[in-house]
Amino acid sequence: MARAILGASSPLMEAIVGFALGAVAGCTLGSTEDPVDKTLSVMTAAGPLEPVMEEVRTVGALGLGSLIGATALTMVMTSVVAGVILGAAVASVFVATRSCSAYTDSVGLWASAGLAGAFGTTLSGGTLGIAIEWIVKNYSMTGLLWALSVFTVLKPPLHFVFKLLWKQGEACCSLGSIDWARERKQIEITEWQQRQRVAVQIEQRILMLERGVSIGGMEPRTTWVSERRQREEMERKKMENEEAEMEQRNIQDWINTVVVKHVDFLAFSGIPMTVVAMVTSGFGEFGYGGHQSVFIVLLTLVTLIAYLLLKSYDLKFWMLVGCMGMLATFVIAILSLHAGQVVVTTAMKMRAAGQSQSRENISALMNHQSSLEALNAAFFVAKLCELGLGATVGGTLVRGVGGEVKIIAGAALVALGLLTGVQVLSPVLGVGGGAGALLGVVGAAGVAVGAATAVAGMWSSWPGTLGTIAGLVIGAIGIGKWHIVNIGLQVPVAYVFAMTNPF
């Protein structure tokens, strides 16, 4: 229980400690709100929005919404998995080189892995953001559709290649097990030598007794005490080595499981939403991007894919997140279409009131509203996805490893450090790179939020649980400039993901 680990001795103490931990995580989440809003404002300005508006005529409002949504979610999932893999690789090397004696309590191990994971997520998010911005500017949305399709097709075979490479890397890092075997052999040789020495001493004393030679009292006793101490020391060292070797093997197996599951998640979770984006964009290419029949086909496709995935008896984490991503893509597409239809409805009301507008103006307003809604909805959903996946990592660490204070405080410090770095480098990163990197920071903040929500569920009394939740909500809303609606949506999503077991 978290109570025993955190040292809370009473319900009141649980509430105080829980509130402090929740406040740290909540303030970290809230600190990302204002930078996210500023980045979104830049993305939806007239200049960056112009290439997107031009593509509404090509793929239609439904196609635009689904394509932007699928691309944003794919970028988020890829950046999170990249961070997890990098953090796992650092932890694996750390464990293989036996840089610590108690792995689960080593600050160096988890600090290095967490820093590498957060940095990898932010860096990959920024890189993917720059790549997406470059593709849209140079090859329009059609190029983005092709890039997304090719990336989705290549992910399943690449994930098998990565697993083979990971096994090879694990074999290269198996020097630790060789060291354990060498130490075991050395202990066995020392034990054998001691047994031989004791046997010789016993034989000498038996011969001396047979010859009638007197044996002194103090010297034999001193010798036996020394031999016993050496034997006890070897037994203690042997037991410590066995425990350390078992701990090393367990943590390495856990790291391997994390990597394999996240690689599977990256390879397959994006397929459903990419299929939806390809179908709707394909209809848009042929001039049916806003037709009602496309909506029916899209709804049927989403329902069929969700049914096939969720009816599986072995429901995997990637299936669940894949369905959620597909539904989010569907919602973004519908919101994009609805935004354009609102413009038409408003124009009809104005015409009835005697204020008619030209068809060109109405078409331009429809494209603008659809593009604006697609970017707003896709960015918000991507932020929720990044936060949720980060919360999954934080919740898993708290339940599987422990060290709640270290995880929450460490994730908060890393997130704030990365946030400062992203804001300083925003002129260099550009619009796309800055947005992608900022989403990576949200993922790091999600680790702290997920750890805090996991702690809330581990307390032995209601005051501890309520105190943690209160600290999380108050910290997030207060630092987040009272964005109650946004925070109110993010915290439940983080809680659901933090309580989900991805393994």
Side-chain angles (χ1 to χ4, degrees), residues 85-100 103 108-109 112-113 116 166 168-177 179 248 251-252 255-256 259:
I85 291 174
L86 183 58
V90 171
S92 182
V93 172
F94 203 105
V95 171
T97 55
R98 300 172 59 192
S99 302
C100 54
Y103 299 102
L109 169 63
S112 302
W166 180 263
Q168 294 296 325
E170 185 183 358
C172 294
C173 292
S174 63
L175 296 176
S177 60
D179 293 338
Q248 183 195 45
I251 193 67
Q252 188 63 55
I255 290 172
N256 292 339
V259 170

Side-chain angles (χ1 to χ4, degrees), residues 51-68:
V52 181
M53 290 176 55
E54 293 178 357
E55 295 303 317
V56 179
R57 305 182 185 93
T58 304
V59 297
L62 276 175
L64 178 70
S66 62
L67 183 55
I68 291 180

